[in-house]
């Protein structure tokens, strides 16, 4: 079977992980949530009491950070199950600082490329099509309006029992998009050969189908 690589990038809370997970399941590919890795690194900094805006102190933790993503969505970081913590507002509020540090990105990208070496993958993030896997067979840039994205994340947090207000989510999404798009190294931006998918008016099922249709057209599966 041909090894296929699908890259799905886009701004915060655009529904990338929900869609990527469903597409991967449908095709029997491995789903890789790169955002969970930056989130896990952030949780580790907070766990150690390190200021996430202090680049040197955060980078110094790289040798101690060991991140493992499990097929069922579990995320382990240096001996601790952080699956739930990494979705909390204190992590969301700091992750874009961590993700802007080049040395940390290089360490994460190294892991991500290794994970995609031997198997077909759907990898979602911000720089997958532009930097991590520039030769991906299919590149999708998934967007939605800020209001729609904030609404989705708010409902997702409600379901998970993570306390927050809608206004806080709007502020978080806007702040992360601003930092993620303006960082110097591997910023959030569509790859030149990516296909934009606006899911503002699509249901989850319609978004998944739209991605499957693009994949079918590009790689014939
Ligand atoms: O799910 P959501 O869109 O809220 O975010 P995520 O995919 O979990 O990513 C969390 C944060 O990690 C982003 O806001 C970025 O700062 C960073 N990130 C990144 O810089 N590069 C990636 N490939 C993935 C995430």
């Amino acid at each position: 079977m041909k090894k296929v690589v699908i890259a799905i990038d886009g701004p915060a809370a655009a529904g990338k992980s929900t869609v990527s997970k469903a597409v991967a399941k449908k095709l029997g590919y491995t789903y890789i949530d790169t955002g969970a890795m930056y989130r896990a690194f952030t949780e580790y900094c907070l766990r150690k009491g390190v200021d996430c805006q202090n680049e040197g102190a955060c980078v110094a933790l790289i040798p101690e950070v060991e991140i493992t993503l499990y097929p069922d969505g579990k995320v382990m970081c240096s001996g601790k199950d952080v699956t739930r913590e990494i979705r909390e507002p204190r992590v969301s509020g700091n992750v874009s600082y961590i993700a802007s540090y080049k040395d940390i990105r290089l360490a994460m990208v190294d892991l991500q490329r290794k994970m995609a070496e031997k198997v077909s993958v759907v990898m979602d993030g911000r720089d997958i099509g532009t930097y991590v896997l520039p030769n991906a067979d299919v590149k999708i840039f998934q967007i939605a309006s800020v209001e729609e994205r904030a609404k989705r994340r708010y409902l997702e947090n409600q379901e998970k029992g993570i306390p927050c207000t809608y206004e806080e989510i709007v502020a978080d999404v806007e702040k992360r998009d601003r930092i993620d798009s303006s960082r110097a190294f591997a910023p959030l931006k569509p790859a030149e050969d990516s296909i934009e998918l606006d899911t503002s008016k699509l249901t989850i099922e319609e978004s998944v189908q739209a991605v499957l249709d693009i994949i079918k057209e590009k790689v014939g599966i």
Side-chain angles (χ1 to χ4, degrees):
M1 206 165 70
K2 180 183 176 324
K3 181 169 122 46
V4 178
V5 172
I6 317 284
I8 304 194
D9 290 301
K16 300 181 300 293
S17 65
T18 307
V19 169
S20 303
K21 222 179 283 171
V23 167
K25 192 169 176 206
K26 182 101 187 163
L27 299 175
Y29 295 177
T30 301
Y31 165 58
I32 302 170
D33 177 359
T34 64
M37 300 167 77
Y38 293 98
R39 287 174 177 273
F41 201 112
T42 305
E43 191 280 336
Y44 190 77
C45 295
L46 296 172
R47 200 194 307 175
K48 292 284 159 181
V50 167
D51 176 4
C52 292
Q53 294 191 55
N54 181 339
E55 179 168 1
C58 295
V59 166
L61 297 179
I62 293 174
E64 297 172 29
V65 175
E66 200 191 328
I67 297 168
T68 314
L69 304 183
Y70 290 85
D72 66 354
K74 184 167 100 170
V75 182
M76 290 291 294
C77 179
S78 306
K80 182 178 168 191
D81 182 343
V82 295
T83 316
R84 198 189 143 76
E85 274 100 327
I86 60 171
R87 306 295 161 193
E88 287 175 359
R90 65 194 180 97
V91 172
S92 296
N94 281 293
V95 63
S96 289
Y97 301 122
I98 298 299
S100 71
Y101 304 145
K102 184 175 178 182
D103 291 335
I104 293 178
R105 296 200 72 80
L106 291 176
M108 297 297 112
V109 168
D110 200 38
L111 268 175
Q112 291 156 13
R113 288 184 178 150
K114 284 202 181 95
M115 292 166 90
E117 228 164 46
K118 297 202 174 72
V119 291
S120 291
V121 296
V122 180
M123 190 180 282
D124 86 336
R126 302 292 185 286
D127 59 339
I128 311 305
T130 53
Y131 185 76
V132 182
L133 304 170
N135 298 321
D137 300 283
V138 181
K139 298 181 185 180
I140 292 171
F141 198 76
Q142 187 172 328
I143 59 165
S145 66
V146 172
E147 294 73 25
E148 187 57 38
R149 290 190 278 133
K151 198 175 94 192
R152 288 176 189 169
R153 182 53 48 89
Y154 177 73
L155 292 174
E156 199 179 328
N157 282 0
Q158 297 276 92
E159 267 170 36
K160 287 183 180 158
I162 298 171
C164 65
T165 65
Y166 174 77
E167 289 70 28
E168 279 164 2
I169 299 290
V170 171
D172 173 67
V173 159
E174 286 180 336
K175 174 185 158 186
R176 285 198 286 132
D177 286 353
R178 193 176 61 248
I179 302 176
D180 294 346
S181 317
S182 63
R183 69 179 174 230
F185 185 70
L188 163 68
K189 66 167 185 221
E192 272 175 22
D193 50 350
S194 67
I195 296 166
E196 183 179 279
L197 177 66
D198 188 342
T199 63
S200 302
K201 296 197 171 68
L202 302 183
T203 62
I204 293 172
E205 291 72 25
E206 288 168 340
S207 307
V208 171
Q209 194 52 53
V211 171
L212 288 169
D213 290 345
I214 294 170
I215 296 171
K216 189 166 186 189
E217 199 184 313
K218 281 258 171 188
V219 290
I221 43 150

